[in-house]
Amino acid sequence: GQQVMQIPQYQHVQEGEDFTTYCNSSTTLSNIQWYKQRPGGHPVFLIQLVKSGEVKKQKRLTFQFGEAKKNSSLHITATQTTDVGTYFCAGLSGGSYIPTFGRGTSLIVHP
Amino acid sequence: DAGVIQSPRHEVTEMGQEVTLRCKPISGHNSLFWYRQTMMRGLELLIYFNNNVPIDDSGMPEDRFSAKMPNASFSTLKIQPSEPRDSAVYFCASSLWSWREQETQYFGPGTRLLVL
């Protein structure tokens, strides 16, 4: 079945440093979503990417969908303590109607 | 809209007891998901309902787990008998479903279950 791998599992950064998490699928995806879960909270939708090579930005967050639609990344510029949490990708492959979540990347920002 | 509502928010029980988790999805959503989250295994999909019908329950761990959705506004996840390894956060999520389109999933606050 479809597998979605996320790396790294954890990332410690100093406040102001950049952060990137990567999501890789074993199959071609029809689309991919990104969610953020704050400590003690629940996953909250951030964005959805559909097109090959698509790039979307939300303030300091940049999301990319690979040309082959098998990988995606989330980049945060100049991290802040409010960015702390776990970032999940969720991919939907062709022929499936249930998205597969990656294990998530936990971001720890040191002030 | 109040969002996805889950109850109880916290549950502490003893091994062997029955546990029932409840979920009220967002009004108008026709898809409902139950997830389990642990440090070891991450976020696992347990079961998926569409229009109140269980579509995929391949993630349900074993016969001790059962889920129902008697109507569009209510679902339960039951564990009987509970075991310490069932301790986790259980999330319910709902979404609109359209064929081959992944709609945003709205997660509830979760139920934190501890089985002693």
Side-chain angles (χ1 to χ4, degrees):
Chain A
Q2 178 192 2
Q3 291 188 337
V4 174
M5 307 297 293
Q6 254 188 283
I7 55 171
Q9 187 175 357
Y10 299 95
Q11 183 77 59
H12 290 256
V13 300
Q14 289 295 131
E15 188 172 18
E17 292 181 340
D18 292 355
F19 159 78
T20 304
T21 174
Y22 301 91
C23 185
N24 296 292
S25 171
S26 57
T27 60
T28 301
L29 301 171
S30 56
N31 57 48
I32 193 162
Q33 292 180 348
W34 285 91
Y35 291 77
K36 177 184 178 181
Q37 183 178 19
R38 295 181 184 273
H42 58 277
V44 175
F45 173 80
L46 293 176
I47 208 161
Q48 175 168 286
L49 305 171
V50 179
K51 300 176 182 176
S52 169
E54 188 171 15
V55 177
K56 288 188 176 180
K57 292 189 176 184
Q58 289 180 349
K59 296 182 181 179
R60 294 178 295 104
L61 278 61
T62 302
F63 304 84
Q64 291 188 328
F65 203 8
E67 294 290 341
K69 299 184 73 173
K70 295 183 74 173
N71 56 73
S72 180
S73 66
L74 158 59
H75 179 82
I76 302 178
T77 303
T79 55
Q80 300 175 359
T81 55
T82 54
D83 296 325
V84 166
T86 301
Y87 293 84
F88 293 94
C89 62
L92 185 69
S93 62
S96 175
Y97 41 76
I98 300 176
T100 300
F101 276 80
R103 287 293 303 270
T105 295
S106 294
L107 172 63
I108 301 99
V109 181
H110 299 277
Chain B
D1 198 321
V4 176
I5 298 172
Q6 289 187 248
S7 65
R9 295 290 304 275
H10 302 271
E11 178 79 24
V12 180
T13 190
E14 292 186 344
M15 181 174 63
Q17 296 298 308
E18 177 179 294
V19 175
T20 299
L21 311 181
R22 298 173 176 80
C23 175
K24 176 179 169 56
I26 292 173
S27 177
H29 282 186
N30 57 1
S31 290
L32 185 139
F33 306 80
W34 280 101
Y35 292 91
R36 178 172 66 177
Q37 187 176 43
T38 61
M39 289 294 292
M40 291 296 293
R41 302 175 68 90
L43 194 63
E44 300 174 275
L45 176 66
L46 299 178
I47 188 168
Y48 163 62
F49 290 90
N50 183 254
N51 291 322
N52 313 336
V53 176
I55 303 298
D56 189 330
D57 64 354
S58 58
M60 296 287 266
E62 48 197 272
D63 292 344
R64 298 185 297 107
F65 285 69
S66 62
K68 295 181 180 180
M69 192 165 186
N71 56 62
S73 59
F74 184 66
S75 177
T76 59
L77 177 67
K78 186 177 293 186
I79 308 172
Q80 166 64 22
S82 58
E83 297 182 2
R85 59 191 170 122
D86 301 329
S87 299
V89 181
Y90 291 82
F91 289 107
C92 174
S94 72
S95 72
L96 287 170
W97 179 86
S98 57
W99 182 246
R100 295 182 182 273
E101 287 289 325
Q102 182 180 2
E103 299 289 343
T104 301
Q105 291 189 39
Y106 294 85
F107 283 76
T111 295
R112 283 154 179 77
L113 173 64
L114 177 61
V115 183
L116 302 173

